[in-house]
Structures are given as C-alpha cells and as structure tokens.
Amino acid sequence: MNAGIDAISFYTSRYYLDLKTLGHARGVDPAKYTKGLGQEKMGVVPPDEDIVTLGASAAKPLMDRTRMEDIELLLFATESGIDQSKAAGLFVHGLLGLSPRCRVVELKEACYAGTAALRLAASLMARTPGKKALVIASDIARYELGSPGEPTQGCGAVAMLVCANPAILALDEEAGFHAEDVMDFWRPNYRDEALVDGKYSTRVYLQTAVNCWTQYGERSGRKPEDFARFCYHLPFTQMARKAHAQILRASGGPTDAETVARGIQEGLGYNRVTGNTYSASLYEGLASLLDGCEADLAGHRLGFFSYGSGSMGEFFSGVVQPGYQQHLLTQHHRKLLESRTELSFQAYEDIFNLKVPTDGWDYVFAQYCTGPYRFGGVGGHKRRYEEVS
Ligand code: CAA
C-alpha cells in the first residue's frame, strides 16, 4: 500500500496556563510538572471553542492544498463528543464547505481513535487514487481541579489529508496491536471530567507498548535501529521517555537517557506547551518532529505508538517522502504557539467552572480570541457555529 499523509496541520486554543502558576496555586513544587511530567504549559479552551472549532481550524489551512471535490471521506476522531447522535465532523463539513459527495463519520476509542481513522482512511484511499480523505483528531483533556491529572490537561486538533502517493509519509502495511478490557481512564456520559486510575494507566500504557512492539517486530522483522525517530501518544512528555526505554529494553538495546532522547526528542516540543490533546497527541508529536527536526528525514522510517485507554494500542510505521519539507506548515504552527495569551490562575478556574445551561434555550457565548471559527451559542437545543471575520 502506498498511501499515507499528504498534509498535516495542527491547531490549539489561543490561551494557556503556565504550569509554574498552577504549581504555586496548588502548593506543588513546579519541578514536579516541568521535570517529573515534562510539561511547561497547558492549553485552555475558552467557552466559545470546542472540538468542532478546534478541528475545523486545524483543517482550514489544508483546504488551499486540495480540490474540495476530491475529499470523499471525513473521519473525525474524538473522545470529547458533543452529541450522542450527530457526528461532529458534519459541523466541520458545513464550516469548510466540503462537497456533499463525502462520507462523514465520528470514531471513538479514547486516544487511539485518530490512529483508527488514519489507518482506515489510508486503506480506502489506496484503492481510489486521486481522491483524498480528511482525518481530524480533536480533543479537550479535562480532569477535576486539584486532581493528579490536572497538570496534564490540554486541548488541540490535528487535521491530515490522506491519499495514495502521499507527499509527507507513506504508511507501512505492518502493525502490531493489543486490546484489553481495563478501567484505567474513562468518562461516563454524565461527567464532564475524565476519571482515571493514574498510576495504573501508565502501567497499562507501557505494557501495551511492549506488546504492540513485539507483534510489530514479529511481523516486520524490524529492530529499533531501522527507525530514524519514534513518536508516541503523549499524555505528558515523560511518558514517551518511559515507553521508548521499555521498547529499547525489550529489544535488548541500550536504554541510557541520551539514546532514549535521541529517538524521540523533537516530537515532544509541541505537546510540552499544549498538554494532552488525546486523539490528536500522537499526530501533534509527528508535526512537532517534522517541523523541528534539523536532519533530513526523507527516505527514513518513523515508528509510532498509539494508545487509547480502555484499552487499545497499535505500533505502526511509515517512510518519510522526498521533498516533504515543502509540504509542512512549520511557520504557521510556530506562530500559532507563540501568539497565545497567558491566563492568570483565576481566569483559568473561571473558564473551567463556567457551566453552560443544558435546558436548550437560547444561550450566547461571550467572544474570546479564537481561530477562524467559534462556537457562538445554542438555541432550540441546536449548536450554532460562526466564522470569525
Ligand atoms: N521534582 C522533580 N520531579 C518530581 C517532583 C519534583 N519536585 N515531584 C515528583 N516528581 C516526579 C515523580 O518522581 C514522578 O516521576 P516518575 O514517574 O519518573 O517516578 C513524576 O514527577 C510524577 O509524580 P507522581 O507519580 O507522584 O505524580 P502523580 O501521582 O501526582 O500523577 C499521573 C502522575 C498519575 C500520571 C497523573 O498526572 C495522572 O493521573 N494523569 C492522567 C492520566 C494519564 O495521563 N495517564 C497516562 C497513561 S494513560 C494515557 O496515556 C491515555 C491518556 O491520554 C489519558
């Protein structure tokens, strides 16, 4: 199969909280967050942004790079669903003005759904040369105030165009996967915040990474030295260090800090300043790697570990394509991250605690700084989205 990622775009909200501010407010040594978890800032989503506006804003820059009528599939991956029935992707379809001749569906399996969407899109597009799929992974990571998960919150979306003969990354056929019915992290329908058995979740993540890598190795015959870099699902960046060390250990290779860092370092930069973006985080890591790696990765193989609590994991790989640099949105991503507004602790808590009425009557949101789209309000139980002029 020669199909994969033709274009990749990342978007996060225009606001963040510095984790040093959070540490001081919670009476926690900020080094626990910056060194222990490996996080500096967390993206905070204002009331007038949600997974639809995050996803549509990620996808918008890609629309200039393709003919709308060539997009015949839109897969929207999220675990921050806004409706039990209607796919969030249909709101995005409307905002972007995509062709009616486009299948649209929403996928869920915690943070793994973005990978399910990418792999599904690639196998369909391999059979329809000239056509494209738009894959969007969009999430808002939200834990209870004061809980251990709080410093790992974040928000963001990644949009990818997927097609045959892609310009950026051609996916390999081989994959290793592992599914298991566990309760490490979940969010019942009646809750806004995730529940998590934090330490257990990290153990399941690590064991799943080794299981997936082992099966991938059996199928492909590849070893760690066959990869230029690895990207991991990033609930926080130290998780990737632990997982990469486990995979190297399972392969009998060196696991010193320098070797581990060499394999993953450039992929951690964006997550470190946005926090967890759940289904988008692996692909945010890929954007960070491609934008930030000084070495030319063309012709080199990248390894990916995707993890969704509950749990589902997959290790897969792809080969970076010649000339990929010309297809990146590096400056756009950097400007986006540099131009965010820092929130005070009080402003962060006020946004977190804002309760939107659920009676379905007219509700209009105050206007915050957003990307090209905003969630304007609700009327008659219908969500209303707007373009920002
Ligand atoms: N200076 C430097 N480091 C410090 C420190 C200090 N003052 N204080 C503590 N640390 C270190 C600790 O030693 C620890 O490092 P190690 O893991 O290497 O031992 C690290 O900081 C974290 O400290 P704790 O383990 O004490 O932290 P915690 O128990 O309060 O919370 C957590 C950690 C359980 C991961 C929590 O952040 C959490 O529940 N997060 C949400 C769940 C999650 O992200 N799980 C990840 C796997 S599941 C998944 O990946 C799906 C998903 O997206 C959610």
Side-chain angles (χ1 to χ4, degrees):
M1 167 176 75
N2 182 13
I5 301 171
D6 198 53
I8 181 165
S9 167
F10 166 70
Y11 176 80
T12 187
S13 81
R14 316 307 306 126
Y15 299 93
Y16 73 89
L17 182 71
D18 194 302
L19 290 187
K20 290 195 278 309
T21 308
L22 182 67
H24 292 313
R26 297 277 178 244
V28 174
D29 179 356
K32 174 173 176 180
Y33 302 154
T34 53
K35 295 202 168 67
L37 297 174
Q39 296 303 109
E40 263 176 56
K41 299 171 181 172
M42 62 188 201
V44 177
V45 76
D48 60 345
E49 286 241 58
D50 67 2
I51 51 161
V52 168
T53 64
L54 295 174
S57 298
K60 189 169 167 64
L62 302 184
M63 294 305 106
D64 304 335
R65 299 174 170 239
T66 190
R67 296 187 324 155
M68 292 281 194
E69 61 271 30
D70 286 341
I71 300 177
E72 291 198 339
L73 177 68
L74 194 175
L75 296 179
F76 194 106
T78 189
E79 57 180 301
S80 320
I82 47 160
D83 194 287
Q84 292 283 19
S85 179
K86 178 167 174 166
L90 279 161
F91 291 111
V92 175
H93 181 277
L95 288 171
L96 298 177
L98 295 179
S99 157
R101 292 192 168 169
C102 176
R103 299 155 167 151
V104 182
V105 78
E106 183 171 315
L107 285 84
K108 178 176 72 184
E109 178 3 58
C111 311
Y112 171 73
T115 297
L118 172 64
R119 307 275 305 170
L120 186 58
S123 49
L124 282 168
M125 292 305 114
R127 285 187 265 137
T128 46
K131 299 299 177 192
K132 293 193 177 172
L134 175 61
V135 168
I136 298 177
S138 180
D139 266 310
I140 299 164
R142 192 177 153 96
Y143 299 91
E144 278 178 8
L145 295 179
S147 70
E150 185 183 27
T152 69
Q153 294 179 120
C155 60
V158 169
M160 295 176 275
L161 286 173
V162 176
C163 63
N165 305 312
I168 294 181
L169 186 89
L171 293 171
D172 293 319
E173 289 282 3
E174 301 91 353
F177 27 88
H178 183 89
E180 201 174 340
D181 178 7
V182 294
M183 295 301 279
D184 61 331
F185 166 106
W186 66 105
R187 185 169 67 84
N189 285 346
Y190 49 82
R191 284 184 61 97
D192 290 333
E193 290 85 36
L195 295 166
V196 60
D197 187 343
K199 293 265 159 66
Y200 176 56
S201 72
T202 60
R203 288 199 299 277
V204 181
Y205 176 118
L206 292 175
Q207 189 53 54
T208 305
V210 172
N211 293 342
C212 294
W213 167 252
T214 303
Q215 191 193 21
Y216 173 88
E218 286 162 7
R219 289 183 164 183
S220 68
R222 295 191 188 108
K223 309 243 172 309
E225 49 274 27
D226 296 320
F227 297 83
R229 298 289 189 282
F230 292 76
C231 293
Y232 289 85
H233 166 58
L234 296 171
F236 48 92
T237 62
Q238 284 295 1
M239 195 72 228
R241 287 186 210 286
K242 289 174 199 255
H244 194 48
Q246 289 274 21
I247 281 183
L248 295 178
R249 191 170 299 118
S251 314
T255 58
D256 58 281
E258 203 184 311
T259 307
V260 171
R262 204 179 316 119
I264 60 173
Q265 196 61 31
E266 299 100 332
L268 309 182
Y270 290 174
N271 179 280
R272 205 176 151 82
V273 295
T274 65
N276 197 350
T277 55
Y278 288 162
S279 60
S281 95
L282 175 63
Y283 302 98
E284 178 187 358
L286 172 61
S288 178
L289 166 62
L290 295 172
D291 288 347
C293 186
E294 284 177 11
D296 184 0
L297 292 168
H300 292 279
R301 177 163 277 112
L302 307 180
F304 299 90
F305 174 62
S306 179
Y307 177 75
S309 286
S311 68
M312 181 68 223
E314 179 163 340
F315 190 96
F316 62 102
S317 57
V319 176
V320 181
Q321 298 301 291
Y324 69 97
Q325 295 96 332
Q326 294 150 35
H327 301 274
L328 300 178
L329 293 170
T330 308
Q331 294 315 321
H332 170 69
H333 293 154
R334 289 190 179 149
K335 205 168 141 209
L336 190 71
L337 289 170
E338 283 160 12
S339 62
R340 294 182 298 166
T341 300
E342 180 175 353
L343 292 175
S344 67
F345 180 72
Q346 188 60 53
Y348 152 67
E349 281 211 328
D350 288 348
I351 288 176
F352 187 98
N353 287 324
L354 186 87
K355 286 274 176 252
V356 178
T358 52
D359 58 14
W361 289 102
D362 279 4
Y363 187 85
V364 176
F365 286 111
Q367 184 142 12
Y368 285 73
C369 185
T370 65
Y373 306 105
R374 65 184 294 271
F375 174 29
V378 180
H381 289 285
K382 294 174 188 160
R383 295 170 90 87
R384 193 175 57 252
Y385 292 97
E386 296 163 357
E387 261 189 77
V388 177
S389 45

